[in-house]
Amino acid sequence: MIAKLTDIEALEAKGFDAAYPQKSPWDILRHQAETRPDKVAIRYLVDASDPARDEVVTYGDFARRIMGAAKLFRGLGVTPNASVAILAQHTPSAQTAIWGAQIAGRACPINPMLKPDHIAGLLDAANAKVAVIMGVNGELDYWSALVPALREAGVTIPLLACDADAQSPGADGVFEEMIQTASGKDVQPEGDETALAAFYHTGGTTGAPKLVQHMRLNEAHVARSCAIMHDLTERDVVVNGFPLFHVAGAFVYGLSTLSAGGTLIVPGRLGMRNAAFMGSIWQQVERYGVTILGVVPTILASLKATPIDADISSLRWLLTGGSPLPTELADAVEKHTSVPVRNILGMTECAGAIAVEPVHGTRTPMSCGLRMPFSEVAVFGETEGDADPSKPLGPDETGIIALRGPNVAAGYSDPARNIGTFLDGGWLVSGDLGMIDNEGRLFVTGRKKDVIIRGAHNIDPQMIEDALLAHPDVLTAAAVGMPDAYAGELPVVFAEMRQGSQAGEAELIDFLRDRIEDPVALPKRIGTVDEMPLTPVGKIFKPTLRAEAIRWAVGQAAEALGVEAEIAVDEKLSTRVMVPGESVDAMKDRLAGMPIKLSVEARS
């Protein structure tokens, strides 16, 4: 049982092989199939209102499907140096495709909502020989528009339909049928635990695709580490509605549960956006004996507002990550549910986990928890603005967070992108500012790397800025995250316009609509400034803009409540909100979930 750093050190003293006997995802899944073949691995809710329609997949059946997929992919030309692209929702078929791809070659899960040209670039960069795409259905039909667009973009590889409710025009086969009929000898994975297992795209950038190279051990280490830190067992029933192109869905909550022999509850194609599931979330907990909910802070906020109308005594933990966890939100959810909330910090470049709050330890406000076993987390000073491993900082000193260990990926597929992120000595620079206390707990205090986190999606602000700078009236542009009680952050942009420009906010947003690759990165608001705030060396000083974005967010909340608010944001972005005394509680509730340090007080 892990509760504090000394427990991790005791585990490490037993040796790596004792703690991590399986060193690849397939080793984990094959072991479970041999150990508990009839245990339910995945319960997929086809219709959240009708349990009779659930698709139930045992560990034995799951392993057979995965090997069938591996045989299929090998027959279609997938070798250890090639990949299978998976553009689908979180379903048993998508899970099957990912793990089967890693046996035959490499997996490349892709967000199907990206623009077709960007997807085509990812397919090429990953050397994809086949793609598995969710086929025509009544809930999320991106096949009908995406497949013709990919063909028009020059994609010629086989495109297989999965999870379809109807015929999918242009399909080169139906994935579920093809894995059932795949024949031949079992495929043996080539190479050891350091072989490349998957490409995961990150950042939402335009231009050349940015692919993280996961080794098999990266994914297995994170899965098993999260199982250890979260005390997962074969008795656990874990709701995982994250997409599989996100490391949380695949490893932090997915493979971790399977590594412990537990059961995954997957709430249909829509995941946690499944209104029927979320509208009856507590009844679902009672029905399936759910022990753990894996969610982002935005979902925590909705749980706080959902009356408990069922017996949820089976629920052990509420696990969250993907964006900062406001202390007020965690407190409110724990008070509402009587279920502990625990946080996690991760990134795609380390398969989803840097630090985890162990469930048997205490929740510490603003802490992300303890490092993964057999890994190192450090805080470095800077040299010319970059993290410098020769300048390690001590407890409670703030600097740039970095890590190294079995969870750190093998860099980007384009080595030129490694500069400043993957350093000599095995260090991965997270891009966050933070500190480590004397108990080994990690705290994120800010950002060095300029990224906007909307829900669990990382958005590269430069991508938005570059797109907006293409407008003839825009002189300079700067994108930042505006705090949001539901999404964590929303992208907003500040623009300095040419003198005499008549372009308004609506025109600028329409201009960006076709130029932003990822729909979640489309700015929610564009403000104009007479002059950009600059540093002494002439760089845009974004803290000033973030302060204004905070004022926007708090001002919108006050307007929605119909109250007048005085808003003060200091140089460290701590925010003080003054409202009439009778509105203090309502304002606190309205702002709960925003990832900012704030106080709400009665106006004298």
Side-chain angles (χ1 to χ4, degrees):
M1 183 177 73
I2 304 294
K4 51 189 182 297
L5 183 59
T6 53
D7 297 323
I8 293 177
E9 293 169 343
L11 176 69
E12 292 169 335
K14 297 177 181 179
F16 188 84
D17 290 344
Y20 300 87
Q22 293 90 39
K23 296 179 174 59
S24 76
W26 176 233
D27 286 344
I28 288 172
L29 296 169
R30 181 174 54 188
H31 171 74
Q32 294 298 340
E34 293 169 350
T35 304
R36 44 179 63 85
D38 298 324
K39 174 75 188 306
V40 176
I42 302 173
R43 181 178 292 274
Y44 178 70
L45 310 189
V46 176
D47 182 346
S49 63
D50 185 2
R53 297 185 61 193
D54 291 354
E55 179 183 354
V56 177
V57 183
T58 65
Y59 277 99
D61 184 27
F62 193 29
R64 285 187 290 272
R65 293 188 191 191
I66 291 169
M67 184 52 66
K71 294 177 183 180
L72 168 64
F73 296 147
R74 183 56 58 84
L76 290 172
V78 178
T79 64
N81 293 320
S83 68
V84 177
I86 300 96
L87 295 96
Q89 300 306 113
H90 189 161
T91 67
S93 291
Q95 284 256 11
T96 299
I98 285 178
W99 309 127
Q102 292 197 9
I103 296 173
R106 303 163 183 172
C108 184
I110 297 176
N111 180 355
M113 302 309 292
L114 296 176
K115 294 191 181 297
D117 286 348
H118 193 57
I119 292 173
L122 291 169
L123 296 176
D124 183 61
N127 190 27
K129 298 300 183 183
V130 60
V132 179
I133 305 176
M134 190 174 72
V136 173
N137 67 86
E139 288 182 306
L140 279 174
D141 179 20
Y142 40 73
W143 174 281
S144 298
L146 177 59
V147 168
L150 289 177
R151 293 303 191 200
E152 187 176 345
V155 174
T156 60
I157 62 174
L159 305 179
L160 311 182
C162 71
D163 298 304
D165 291 340
Q167 186 173 0
S168 301
D172 294 301
V174 176
F175 177 66
E176 292 86 358
E177 296 174 358
M178 296 174 80
I179 64 174
Q180 290 291 334
T181 59
S183 60
K185 295 182 179 180
D186 284 358
V187 180
Q188 299 300 320
E190 296 186 22
D192 60 13
E193 65 269 22
T194 64
L196 293 186
F199 294 109
Y200 270 76
H201 63 84
T202 184
T205 54
T206 56
K210 189 177 183 182
L211 290 170
V212 177
Q213 301 179 113
H214 283 181
M215 295 181 285
R216 292 168 182 161
L217 184 59
N218 302 149
E219 298 177 349
H221 176 264
V222 164
R224 190 64 198 140
S225 294
C226 288
I228 291 169
M229 302 291 273
H230 292 148
D231 190 28
L232 297 178
T233 73
E234 70 277 4
R235 296 183 296 277
D236 277 302
V237 179
V238 179
V239 171
N240 179 1
F242 284 81
L244 293 175
F245 60 79
H246 193 284
V247 285
F251 313 115
V252 174
Y253 304 121
L255 190 61
S256 65
T257 300
L258 300 175
S259 78
T263 297
L264 284 177
I265 300 286
V266 180
R269 293 188 184 96
L270 299 176
M272 302 306 271
R273 292 181 293 133
N274 184 332
F277 180 80
M278 291 304 298
S280 58
I281 183 64
W282 306 125
Q283 296 171 39
Q284 302 286 347
V285 168
E286 178 179 358
R287 174 180 295 158
Y288 295 111
V290 172
T291 60
I292 293 171
L293 290 176
V295 299
V296 292
T298 57
I299 300 297
L300 273 185
S302 67
L303 294 179
K304 175 177 67 73
T306 303
I308 297 174
D309 56 358
D311 178 3
I312 63 169
S313 58
S314 64
L315 197 57
R316 297 202 297 152
W317 321 112
L318 293 167
L319 307 179
T320 188
S323 61
L325 174 63
T327 301
E328 296 80 3
L329 175 61
D331 288 343
V333 172
E334 288 183 343
K335 181 178 179 180
H336 179 59
T337 63
S338 299
V339 178
V341 176
R342 293 294 182 268
N343 196 18
I344 184 170
L345 176 68
M347 59 192 298
T348 306
E349 289 82 351
C350 60
I354 297 172
V356 171
E357 278 193 304
V359 293
H360 291 296
T362 57
R363 176 171 61 81
T364 303
M366 305 310 294
S367 171
C368 304
L370 305 174
R371 62 174 176 83
M372 301 291 93
F374 297 93
S375 74
E376 298 176 70
V377 175
V379 174
F380 295 141
E382 300 180 32
T383 296
E384 296 182 353
D386 293 324
D388 187 344
S390 71
K391 297 180 178 178
L393 301 180
D396 298 326
E397 291 187 284
T398 298
I400 303 173
I401 298 169
L403 64 146
R404 64 180 174 185
N407 49 340
V408 173
Y412 298 113
S413 59
D414 178 1
R417 293 181 177 270
N418 290 342
I419 298 171
T421 300
F422 290 92
L423 307 182
D424 292 341
W427 289 106
L428 167 64
V429 178
S430 76
D432 294 309
L433 296 173
M435 65 180 185
I436 301 172
D437 70 9
N438 281 310
E439 304 299 320
R441 291 178 296 233
L442 178 65
F443 296 80
V444 173
T445 58
R447 292 208 193 114
K448 181 68 176 179
K449 185 173 68 176
D450 210 12
V451 65
I452 300 165
I453 303 177
R454 178 177 180 176
H457 296 276
N458 286 358
I459 299 170
D460 182 355
Q462 185 177 346
M463 175 264 294
I464 302 172
E465 293 158 3
D466 289 349
L468 188 57
L469 286 170
H471 191 285
D473 284 356
V474 176
L475 293 174
T476 59
V480 299
M482 180 178 74
D484 182 77
Y486 179 76
E489 288 184 319
L490 295 172
V492 296
V493 186
F494 294 87
E496 184 178 339
M497 309 298 291
R498 294 187 186 278
Q499 188 172 3
S501 171
Q502 298 300 310
E505 181 181 33
E507 177 185 327
L508 295 176
I509 290 178
D510 284 342
F511 178 81
L512 290 177
R513 206 174 299 278
D514 294 330
R515 291 169 171 81
I516 300 291
E517 300 287 358
D518 191 343
V520 301
L522 186 68
K524 288 294 183 181
R525 182 168 177 177
I526 298 179
T528 58
V529 295
D530 294 333
E531 291 183 347
M532 284 288 180
L534 301 176
T535 68
V537 296
K539 292 184 177 181
I540 295 175
F541 188 64
K542 286 195 172 181
T544 298
L545 302 179
R546 292 194 185 99
E548 183 61 20
I550 290 172
R551 294 185 192 96
W552 284 354
V554 176
Q556 288 174 1
E559 184 178 351
L561 289 175
V563 301
E564 292 186 4
E566 297 175 12
I567 306 164
V569 185
D570 69 18
E571 61 183 11
K572 294 184 178 180
L573 302 184
S574 295
T575 304
R576 185 185 183 202
V577 183
M578 305 287 288
V579 295
E582 66 273 13
S583 301
V584 168
D585 289 342
M587 194 66 181
K588 285 182 177 179
D589 188 63
R590 193 83 183 188
L591 299 178
M594 286 190 180
I596 54 176
K597 184 177 181 180
L598 62 83
S599 63
V600 181
E601 305 168 17
R603 188 167 58 225
S604 57

